[in-house]
Amino acid sequence: MNEADQVRAYHRLSMHRPGQFAPGPGGLDWASQPAAFRRYAGCRLIELWQRPLDESPDYDAAFAAPVGAPAALGLPGISQLLYDSLAVSAWKQAGGSRWALRVNPSSGNLHPTEAYLLLPPGAVAAAGVLAHYCADEHVLEVRAELPASLGQQLAAALPAGGCLLALASIPWREAWKYGERAWRYCQHDLGHAQAALALAAGALGWQTRQLGSLDERRLDGLFGVAREGFAERELVDCLLYVGPPQAREFVLPAALVAALAQLPLHGTPNRLSPTQVEWPELSRMLELGRAPAQPPQAWPLSAGLLSHDNPQLALRPLLHRRRSAQAFDGRSGIHAELLRAWLRRLLPGNSPLPLGLSGQPPRVDLLLFVHRVQGLAPGLYWLARGDQAAETLKAGLRDDFLWQRADAELPLYRLLEGDARGLAQFLACDQDIASDGCVAFAMLAHFDQALAAGAWQYAELYRECGRIGQLLYLEAEAAGLSGTGIGCFFDPAVHELLGMADSRLQSLYHFTIGKAQVDARLSSQPAYPHLRWPPPR
């Protein structure tokens, strides 16, 4: 079986069907629940700062191009980048339970995503450092200080004022709850984190781009997660450049990569669980989803189409108050023009910073279940985010779809009119939240097209869905509403709704937006009450 066929086999195995869910634990073993934060005992800590949130650029500006002149690569900039993308946003408590919420969302609030930075000399320390970001305390753990000669090589390899940031996943954090389907959620979460980083970096005048010229299988060694001592496997999923905008991808010298992978490391990784369960197909996907080295590509510097749907709305407070709704009121609605503003945001040319991060073309379209949208008839709609014409899209789908253009500017098509609330709820594993909001979305990936370019493209499809989901979260918050990602849905039932007889399109992620119901049983505490800008001396 070739790699593409193995991916297809995993995709089928990890589907939910009515009465038959993907292989999973069947119940939660609370004794083995993974710790929420990776820590390395024995590392030197670098305390980061917390800037007041009112020092913020406009919300709309951050999607289209880096805002203003690039910030200096120093402790203030690195602190702000991480605080606005991967940090804790609040602590919640109910009874004797206390848990953290974060700026970047996660399936089940399990947060498999970890971040590592390679910083040149002078950025946060005199020497160059390899550091791990600890969201619980908003600090960097220094895993290695680079010798002077190696630090100079790193500085020479990077564009001036830039650094490298790696995002890694700990699959067991998701598998503890979701079993074989956990790989999907790790990739969703990675996409959310990528978009969060791109927006936070853009607010500092920086660009965030994925480096594809290094085989992803080499990244574990480069960032130290392939060493002995890890009770739970951790894998680096992507390598990002963060810094002043560049016109073209650069290539790290092979000698530098080899030397960095041999660095002596400080710190012992904590054990996250006393026990863990191995899921064989999940383990197989951890290798199949990794990208080989790709030729360097151009990094277009176009500013995109800057919209002004939210005049004078500040970006940073919105990033930190983003929440995942647990339930909607089932009554509130929106106007069609607000929905159109959301859909404009999701077109790649309008949000090039978060949506263009990977350099891949858009391969995810949206199926909309319109419930309570004044000025737009309830029913089923299609947003075409790529360059496919309607005639191409509708080939092989249901004959009774209308394919009526529903907007003069947007590639939005009406498929069916009528009450779609019950349908949306059924498809989302019968969850009320999919029908109680204003609108629900199913993200449809051009599956066969992606796999034809390589089995590793399967991961990129989920990450694209995660980046779309992050934008939907923020657009909901900007409108005074709430969103929530839905990872539990009946995959084949969505495909049956479309009348598909092949795998050309596959449903990979669902989302819904509405007016959240507040749970009065929960109390909230600030994320880092002890931090200030700058920290006291």
Side-chain angles (χ1 to χ4, degrees):
M1 187 183 297
N2 62 34
E3 289 190 345
D5 287 340
Q6 292 178 61
V7 165
R8 292 177 186 277
Y10 170 79
H11 188 64
R12 290 190 297 270
L13 174 80
S14 60
M15 287 180 175
H16 288 328
R17 298 170 173 83
Q20 182 185 352
F21 287 80
L28 297 182
D29 177 12
W30 294 105
S32 66
Q33 182 181 15
F37 301 99
R38 167 72 81 199
R39 296 303 302 260
Y40 290 92
C43 286
R44 179 172 72 88
L45 301 182
I46 298 177
E47 182 178 321
L48 300 176
W49 301 359
Q50 177 180 319
R51 181 190 294 272
L53 293 180
D54 57 1
E55 299 183 25
S56 173
D58 287 346
Y59 172 74
D60 285 313
F63 291 85
V67 180
L73 184 70
L75 194 57
I78 293 297
S79 299
Q80 191 70 52
L81 173 73
L82 297 171
Y83 181 61
D84 289 340
S85 58
L86 304 176
V88 170
S89 56
W91 290 88
K92 292 288 185 179
Q93 187 163 348
S97 298
R98 184 173 182 263
W99 63 95
L101 304 180
R102 303 205 203 177
V103 176
N104 59 309
S106 168
S107 310
N109 201 33
L110 297 172
H111 287 282
T113 309
E114 299 287 337
Y116 297 83
L117 296 97
L118 266 170
L119 297 163
V124 296
V129 299
L130 168 61
H132 169 251
Y133 175 58
C134 306
D136 55 340
E137 294 186 41
H138 193 49
V139 297
L140 293 178
E141 293 176 318
V142 178
R143 298 222 64 208
E145 296 197 22
L146 277 56
S149 60
L150 193 55
Q152 292 169 3
Q153 292 178 52
L154 176 63
L158 294 173
C163 68
L164 298 177
L165 190 151
L167 291 175
S169 295
I170 302 175
W172 168 239
R173 281 216 183 108
E174 295 281 1
W176 168 76
K177 184 175 183 179
Y178 297 118
E180 293 285 17
R181 200 170 167 96
W183 185 86
R184 296 180 176 219
Y185 302 142
C186 287
Q187 304 309 315
H188 285 155
D189 287 4
L190 191 81
H192 281 291
Q194 287 178 333
L197 279 163
L199 289 170
L204 293 163
W206 292 342
Q207 174 191 43
T208 304
R209 287 286 190 166
Q210 185 164 318
L211 288 168
S213 56
L214 193 62
D215 191 312
E216 286 183 1
R217 293 171 179 83
R218 301 189 65 187
L219 297 180
D220 294 347
L222 180 58
F223 288 90
V225 299
R227 307 284 180 95
E228 294 183 359
F230 287 82
E232 298 83 12
R233 190 174 182 188
E234 185 171 341
L235 303 93
V236 178
D237 287 319
C238 72
L239 179 60
L240 303 174
Y241 162 73
V242 180
Q246 304 297 311
R248 187 166 185 81
E249 181 178 356
F250 57 91
V251 179
L252 295 175
L256 172 63
V257 173
L260 290 170
Q262 297 300 315
L263 277 173
L265 298 180
H266 309 303
T268 303
N270 59 332
R271 188 182 185 97
L272 304 180
S273 287
T275 60
Q276 60 179 310
V277 177
E278 293 295 328
W279 297 94
E281 297 308 314
L282 167 62
S283 298
R284 187 192 306 270
M285 278 307 305
L286 298 181
E287 299 304 328
L288 288 173
R290 314 196 83 175
Q294 303 297 307
Q297 58 178 307
W299 286 345
L301 298 177
S302 61
L305 303 175
L306 179 60
S307 62
H308 294 279
D309 296 313
N310 306 279
Q312 299 181 339
L313 181 66
L315 172 70
R316 287 184 175 124
L318 192 116
L319 298 178
H320 288 263
R321 74 169 187 253
R322 181 218 61 82
R323 301 287 185 268
S324 295
Q326 303 303 307
F328 294 140
D329 64 9
R331 300 184 307 273
S332 300
I334 59 172
H335 194 276
E337 191 49 46
L338 179 58
L339 176 60
R340 292 188 179 99
W342 295 347
L343 300 183
R344 283 195 294 271
R345 182 75 74 201
L346 301 181
L347 297 181
N350 294 344
S351 299
L353 281 193
L355 295 179
L357 173 147
S358 71
Q360 298 289 334
R363 287 176 300 198
V364 175
D365 290 347
L366 296 181
L367 187 67
L368 282 71
F369 302 82
V370 172
H371 303 325
R372 300 173 181 86
V373 180
Q374 184 180 358
L376 193 63
L380 201 63
Y381 292 76
W382 187 293
L383 180 72
R385 298 180 58 254
D387 57 3
Q388 299 93 345
E391 290 300 318
T392 302
L393 291 171
K394 67 183 184 181
L397 302 184
R398 282 172 52 168
D399 293 336
D400 61 341
F401 280 167
L402 301 174
W403 291 101
Q404 295 173 343
R405 191 72 180 253
D407 188 87
E409 298 179 4
L410 289 167
L412 180 66
Y413 302 91
R414 181 182 293 109
L415 302 182
L416 295 172
E417 282 194 23
D419 189 345
R421 290 176 295 175
L423 178 60
Q425 178 175 329
F426 164 71
L427 293 174
C429 298
D430 206 30
Q431 297 178 82
D432 293 342
I433 201 166
S435 61
D436 286 346
C438 311
V439 60
F441 304 83
M443 301 185 196
L444 301 175
H446 292 265
F447 188 73
D448 290 342
Q449 177 191 28
L451 289 191
W456 58 274
Q457 293 278 357
Y458 183 50
E460 177 52 34
L461 292 178
Y462 283 103
R463 296 172 192 177
E464 183 178 352
C465 290
R467 294 191 290 270
I468 293 170
Q470 184 69 2
L471 268 61
L472 285 172
Y473 267 121
L474 297 177
E475 289 292 277
E477 293 288 340
L481 300 168
S482 297
T484 192
I486 300 176
C488 184
F489 52 87
F490 298 136
D491 313 48
V494 178
H495 308 146
E496 290 170 14
L497 168 65
L498 299 175
M500 287 196 327
D502 56 24
S503 58
R504 179 168 59 100
L505 295 164
Q506 294 290 287
S507 178
L508 300 188
Y509 193 22
H510 288 214
F511 203 93
T512 183
I513 296 176
K515 186 68 174 178
Q517 290 184 318
V518 178
D519 190 341
R521 298 171 299 175
L522 303 183
S523 62
S524 182
Q525 294 85 39
Y528 309 108
H530 63 291
L531 293 183
R532 293 201 304 236
W533 182 284
R537 295 296 180 187

